[in-house]
Amino acid sequence: MTREAPDDEASDAAGSADRRSVLLGLGTLGAAGVAGCLGDSPSDVANEGSPTATTTPMDGSATISPTAATTDGTSRTPTDAGTATDTETPTPVDPETEPVPAALTSKFYLGAKSLAVIDDRDPTNSRDVDLITTEPADATGAFRFVGVLPIDGRLLAGTYDFVTDPDLVASGRLRVFIEGEELLFSEGRERVQLHRGRHDFRVEFLREEPGETVSLGWRGTYGGLPPRIAEVDPVREAELPAKGQYELEVGTTPRAKRIAMPNSGSENSRRSLAVGLPSYTSFCFDPTDGSIPYAWLGAFLDYGPMVGYGTGRGDDPGRPLGAMFSVGGTDFPLRIGDPDDETGVEFQGYRKRPEPFELHYSVDGKSITRAVEGVIGDGNPPGRGLRSTVRFEEPPSEPVYFLTMQNDRLERSASVGTWDGGRLEIPGGVEEFTVTVINTNPAAMGMIGGGGMGGGGD
Amino acid sequence: MTLPAGYSITTLASEDRGPETELEVGGLSVRPDGTVLASTRHGELWAFDPGSGEWSLRTDELHQTLGVWTGGGPGDAANDIWVVQKPELTRLVDDTDAPTIDAFETVCDEWGYSGDFFEFAYGPVRDSEGNFHLNLSLGAEGGGPCTSVQIYSAPWRGWHVRVTPEGEFQPYAKGLRSPLGLGINADDEVFYSDVQGDWVPVCHVSRIVEDAFYGHPHSLGPDPDWPDYENLCEGVESEYAERFREARKPPVAWIPYELAESAAGVTFEEKGAFGPFEGQAFLGDQRNASLVRLAMEAVNGRYQGAVFPFSDPGDFQCGNVVEAFSADGSALYVGQTDRGWGSAGTEAYGVQRVEYDGATTPFAMHSIAVLPSGFRIDFTKAAAGEAGSPDSYEVSRWTYNYHSTFGSGRVNETDVEVTNASVVDGGSAVELELPEVGPATVSEDLTVRGRVYEISADVTADDDSEMAHDTGWYTVHEVPG
């Protein structure tokens, strides 16, 4: 029996390690996927969050197990499909620096007339690459790309849909392998289950005419786009306005965009700063009160609305390319002396390098640096959140309060001080403190619109 | 293509050339080493190396950057960069080995920004004391009591503001509508251009003076001295217009509609390397994809002057919104965009460069000066004998309505007889005598005071060269005694 599992870490463990099959005729991508994943309807998101609710596999989905995930030889095979937990020890990764796809190399075999010859020849050239880009563009021959898809918490374990050009597959000029298993693609699509761990990934492509290139994309059904695999990404071309021309992507370093943002809870969200972190956690910062109204999981930002997608006057809010979740943001979260004082924030800018990403502003005239890092929880499924390290230029003598929203999904911790519900009180004189807020179920997120965070009242 | 002899246009960026982006330029600034910085409506900042022809991205994290200013002021580091984003003035910090900007320091964000798409922030230019000067456009989206009238959508909209080097916000002058152009000359004098529309009959270029009012009542916002500012809809202006007319500071020059529909960047030629126009200003015209030249003079303590075409509509590939001279002054970079506005030309965005060959002296009306009984035209070189005939000139004059409706046609237009033409200074100038010359009278109710004189000269140079453009428009506010 093949089973469609929920798209979180529990579901990751639910599938059998060796079972795989192909899901034919996926109908959930395209327009429906766009609506659900890119933020128009909370109800769509809820559906998208549960693959069993939106897909009807004809013969099941491919379940792919990582070959490198169990370094200690422990079994990953769950004993209970409904409740099992993943007992593997994930391969250590440095999610702040490792790209996705990881360790990608490109080999080109000039003049090759068939993919079958790759194993018998030395490549004409070999190089490390960030994406599948079939350079040189004007030469014919065969390409082989080898890399790793790290499902390491930045990307959630669960269901992924791989999409390519059906003609390429039908003509035998494109082959895609995960863990050595070839994806068969039906009408250019195949759905697989990716467990937590590092998945070997191989793509072979035969270029018969100069200029032909690989079209390959993927997406997780939990919401939000995963990072681009290939320069030509049919998922982005199909789902994003203007074929993704205005997407800002995050690699191994933080990225930001000053832009109006939706639904940040303040009319001053027009002044917002969107920040994308390498952990594939992004957040919206409101410079007028120092708050982080929400974060999101997945790809970073479509800034097309700011430029009217190249055709209009623009200046509409940017589109987070993921599903939003709360990190406990409240208005004026940092207060000095008086916990009820909602004033006194002056934005002073931000710094990207050296990392971590820093927000600079003052509260009641006290200059602070707030370093913000993405955090992946150790729960199952892993939560997602942010860690703020707040450093005062001159420590205030009065108590400092850091306020977070009351929410059962939030796990809070701090390096110093005392929690009273969602409010952290820090004694006067402290120069630096750290607050970590993790949303334990970011995959059950609400989306933009519909009166707030949704997803359980975050 | 009708540029003066000796000038040519080179395309540096367009859809098919330059960086692979929609380079919708909103700001240009040139470093002493010649590097050109171009900020864009996408929020990108690009650097262009004129030696290699290479473009490099410095950042793409900004919010609609319609202005960039590079180092050179007191205490500036050589690589300092300031940009104006819609919500703030920002200093860009590049202090690591990474190729892009490392930190973004907020210098000032005191002005209102409600999200109205029209709330553009233009500038900065920087004076010798290190102060930044910015223009803040009025809003345009709904909410106003009058149809098709710009609105005071957020604090300080419609203002020119000054920001000290320490970041202090100083509201400086008001009455701006859509102040796309901003420039400063070597004497620390700041000039701006405004785009025609409500309360702005045609585009104009004006000198910014502290506390001055430039004509658009809605910028008065909550000022208790102007309680009725926002009720001046069509049909009721007459009750108030005289008061506003008295209050408003006249422009240096009205720019007739046929010359510019969306006047843009104001850039002074101060190195004397761009032909015979040292000290004059060049203005872009976004709508017509062309350039306008401004030659002004001080009369009775007030600047006024003449505008001339430097090109014809559509000579450039796209609407010109900003300009900057090359480091040696021999070329003028022009930044372009048309999205949402439309323009002449064939491209939607880009950068072009007007290059002077360094040798040719084109024949042109260099400047026009008002005389007690007429005008003096200075040519760029000696004119032929017909310059001494009154029949070689055609002069007419008119003024414009000052009202809440969009733009104005010519009001009280009249041909003016040239009674005498006297060649002076060896043929390089001519003095025209008219029956009378002066500003509009108060009896021309609901009109601006400035009177525009259109002066055409059917004259060739002594060396037989011809003028690319034979007409100038001089705005008279003052006449020397």
Side-chain angles (χ1 to χ4, degrees), chain B residues 112-454:
Chain B
Y113 171 47
S114 71
D116 185 318
F117 81 93
F118 212 89
E119 290 171 341
F120 302 112
Y122 301 108
V125 296
R126 203 167 191 210
D127 63 30
S128 62
E129 296 178 346
N131 300 304
F132 299 93
H133 294 258
L134 292 75
N135 287 343
L136 304 175
S137 177
L138 286 168
E141 294 183 310
C146 308
T147 303
S148 300
V149 172
Q150 305 291 116
I151 59 172
Y152 189 75
S153 51
W156 311 115
R157 306 312 312 187
W159 281 69
H160 176 94
V161 301
R162 189 169 71 176
V163 178
T164 69
E166 295 75 32
E168 182 186 352
F169 179 74
Q170 298 176 336
Y172 199 76
K174 52 190 175 290
L176 288 61
R177 178 184 175 272
S178 181
L180 178 53
L182 186 59
I184 189 168
N185 64 17
D187 295 325
D188 256 0
E189 295 168 329
V190 177
F191 294 81
Y192 93 101
S193 67
D194 216 335
V195 175
Q196 47 107 13
D198 46 300
W199 299 104
V200 182
V202 291
C203 300
H204 67 84
V205 55
S206 297
R207 182 187 170 196
I208 290 287
V209 174
E210 190 166 13
D211 295 330
F213 169 64
Y214 291 90
H216 202 296
H218 284 200
S219 67
L220 298 169
D223 189 335
D225 291 338
W226 302 91
D228 298 315
Y229 78 95
E230 64 179 0
N231 296 315
L232 299 176
C233 303
E234 187 174 6
V236 298
E237 298 101 327
S238 59
E239 300 177 40
Y240 307 94
E242 184 59 27
R243 188 178 172 207
F244 287 113
R245 190 166 75 162
E246 288 296 320
R248 71 170 298 158
K249 179 176 175 56
V252 172
W254 294 109
I255 307 174
Y257 189 75
E258 57 267 48
L259 183 55
E261 296 179 41
S262 297
V266 183
T267 305
F268 286 89
E269 203 285 86
E270 299 185 302
K271 294 197 172 179
F274 196 64
F277 305 117
E278 183 176 3
Q280 299 187 5
F282 291 82
L283 287 79
D285 179 12
Q286 190 278 329
R287 183 72 180 176
N288 288 326
S290 61
L291 282 177
V292 173
R293 179 167 59 86
L294 167 69
M296 60 185 180
E297 60 172 342
V299 181
N300 300 336
R302 172 181 291 177
Y303 279 124
Q304 61 188 34
V307 286
F308 306 90
F310 191 75
S311 67
D312 284 343
D315 276 351
F316 290 84
Q317 63 178 0
C318 181
N320 298 332
V321 296
V322 65
E323 316 88 40
F325 273 101
S326 60
D328 67 1
S330 68
L332 183 67
Y333 293 94
V334 182
Q336 302 155 333
T337 175
D338 78 344
R339 176 170 53 82
W341 299 321
S343 77
T346 58
E347 297 287 326
Y349 51 82
V351 174
Q352 292 183 294
R353 184 172 58 200
V354 182
E355 296 160 353
Y356 174 57
D357 66 11
T360 303
T361 298
F363 185 53
M365 285 194 277
H366 172 272
S367 54
I368 300 174
V370 66
L371 302 173
S373 59
F375 292 97
R376 171 188 168 114
I377 303 172
D378 277 87
F379 299 104
T380 52
K381 56 186 175 183
E386 70 265 23
S389 169
D391 294 338
S392 297
Y393 305 92
E394 290 184 358
V395 178
S396 60
R397 65 162 174 83
W398 62 84
T399 186
Y400 296 106
N401 280 322
Y402 177 47
H403 56 193
S404 64
T405 48
F406 197 97
S408 168
R410 299 174 179 181
V411 176
N412 297 330
E413 183 175 9
T414 305
D415 290 338
V416 180
E417 181 186 7
V418 178
T419 56
N420 189 49
S422 303
V423 173
V424 297
D425 292 344
S428 65
V430 61
E431 293 182 351
L432 306 181
E433 287 186 13
L434 310 179
E436 53 86 22
V437 63
T441 62
V442 176
S443 62
E444 292 172 303
D445 197 18
L446 276 177
T447 61
V448 297
R449 288 194 186 283
R451 176 175 279 164
V452 175
Y453 283 79
E454 179 182 277

